[in-house]
Amino acid sequence: TEDANLGEQLEYTITGIEPGAGITGQAREMLNTYDNLEGWELQESSTGGMMTELDQAIQNEEPIVVTGWTPHWMFERYDLKMLEDPELAFGEGDDIHTIAREGLEEDMPEAYAILDAFEWSVEEMQVVIDEGQDIEMEEAAADWVEENQDQVDGWLEGVDPVDGQPIDIISVPWDSERASSNVIRLALEQHGFDVTVTNVDPSILFQAVGNGEADASVAPWLPNTHGAFMDEYGESIVDLGPNAEGTMNALVVPTYMEIDSIEDLPA
Ligand code: PBE
């Protein structure tokens, strides 16, 4: 049948990303949740590897199923759709939160106030992500800050500047968070902070904020993508709430594929 054919063409494989990504954990769970996916595999690799395979499949108009998310530039470059997920393996969308180590508010009230005020939209983040494909992400973030200085001033308003106070921001290596961590770095630097940004796996990020090795992060996707890490380390983490609302993880396919739901993947 056509269905079995699709399964064979896909080699019953979903093209995934880094083993440590939150979305990889969700996709592993998904394989256990959907009966039709018994016997399917998640091929874990890297985001770059996944994007290369997606690009090649689209050039050849071949079927492919990847773990994807918004905000990301894949939706700007290709005609893609997210498969319906009736079992909510990926949840119903996340917000991106700012988190801080315990004691940051007392030790570094100025930093805490700025981090607490930091807020933008996923559409604004997308602008930086897209520009960051053509130039360095640091420059793309600097351009955004320059063009949106009023908004940045709003985050700094009423906070006393500091003189070279060091702060450790921890983040993850995906473009969305490379965008946001550079924007918050620039805002903090404008106010006199000496900012270090370190990119690590999500589990390490939560561990580091939980044990106080890092001061803060603007990277967590909650409540779903990084929910398991928050459950594990969140007791000693202060959640300052969303800095950007409305992200989404899903299985993503090219629009020329004639399936609409995870349940349409052939058993
Ligand atoms: N992502 C992008 C990450 C967080 C940001 C969805 C690939 C993840 O941990 O899955």
Side-chain angles (χ1 to χ4, degrees):
T1 70
E2 207 173 285
D3 263 11
N5 206 341
L6 178 62
E8 275 161 32
Q9 282 179 51
L10 291 166
E11 293 174 8
Y12 299 94
T13 297
I14 288 150
T15 305
I17 62 163
E18 289 81 356
I23 197 174
T24 303
Q26 292 177 310
R28 285 190 203 122
E29 281 286 315
M30 174 198 68
L31 293 182
N32 298 325
T33 305
Y34 285 87
D35 291 341
N36 57 310
L37 295 183
E38 213 190 312
W40 280 69
E41 265 179 55
L42 176 68
Q43 181 194 308
E44 297 174 18
S45 61
S46 66
T47 299
M50 179 273 284
M51 289 306 301
T52 301
E53 292 201 29
L54 181 64
D55 186 75
Q56 282 170 1
I58 288 173
Q59 284 190 35
N60 300 323
E61 253 197 73
E62 283 166 359
I64 186 165
V65 183
V66 305
T67 56
W69 60 94
T70 57
H72 191 281
W73 53 271
M74 68 179 96
F75 292 91
E76 318 283 311
R77 188 150 323 168
Y78 305 109
D79 289 325
L80 302 171
K81 59 185 171 186
M82 289 185 159
L83 295 184
E84 286 161 26
D85 174 20
E87 300 289 346
L88 302 181
F90 296 99
E92 292 181 283
D94 277 331
D95 296 325
I96 309 179
H97 285 231
T98 301
I99 61 171
R101 65 170 169 83
E102 270 184 351
L104 187 76
E105 187 173 13
E106 294 75 36
D107 302 347
M108 300 171 69
E110 295 85 4
Y112 185 92
I114 294 167
L115 287 160
D116 198 19
F118 170 54
E119 194 180 5
W120 63 343
S121 65
V122 293
E123 289 77 18
E124 289 170 306
M125 178 184 254
Q126 186 76 56
V127 170
V128 181
I129 295 170
D130 290 343
E131 205 188 341
Q133 303 315 306
D134 301 324
I135 60 174
E136 291 298 322
M137 194 62 81
E138 289 75 9
E139 279 176 60
D143 287 350
W144 188 89
V145 166
E146 197 181 314
E147 281 157 30
N148 296 274
Q149 187 62 50
D150 286 353
Q151 191 170 338
V152 175
D153 287 344
W155 309 331
L156 307 173
E157 204 185 310
V159 181
D160 290 336
V162 298
D163 188 12
Q165 187 174 52
I167 179 164
D168 283 319
I169 300 291
I170 196 152
S171 192
V172 292
W174 291 282
D175 286 345
S176 40
E177 282 58 50
R178 292 179 60 225
S180 56
S181 57
N182 273 292
V183 166
I184 193 67
R185 173 182 60 77
L186 289 159
L188 288 163
E189 284 175 356
Q190 283 189 5
H191 232 49
F193 287 91
D194 180 5
V195 186
T196 307
V197 177
T198 311
N199 292 333
V200 296
D201 269 2
S203 69
I204 307 292
L205 182 153
F206 282 86
Q207 226 172 298
V209 178
N211 68 23
E213 268 172 46
D215 291 312
S217 178
V218 297
W221 287 30
L222 294 169
N224 299 298
T225 308
H226 299 140
F229 305 123
M230 195 62 173
D231 287 346
E232 195 170 347
Y233 302 106
E235 216 170 290
S236 37
I237 291 175
V238 183
D239 184 356
L240 286 70
N243 60 60
E245 293 183 4
T247 68
M248 191 66 214
N249 296 346
L251 290 191
V252 171
V253 302
T255 48
Y256 55 73
M257 284 179 69
E258 282 168 8
I259 57 170
D260 295 307
S261 168
I262 296 176
E263 290 184 331
D264 296 336
L265 291 168

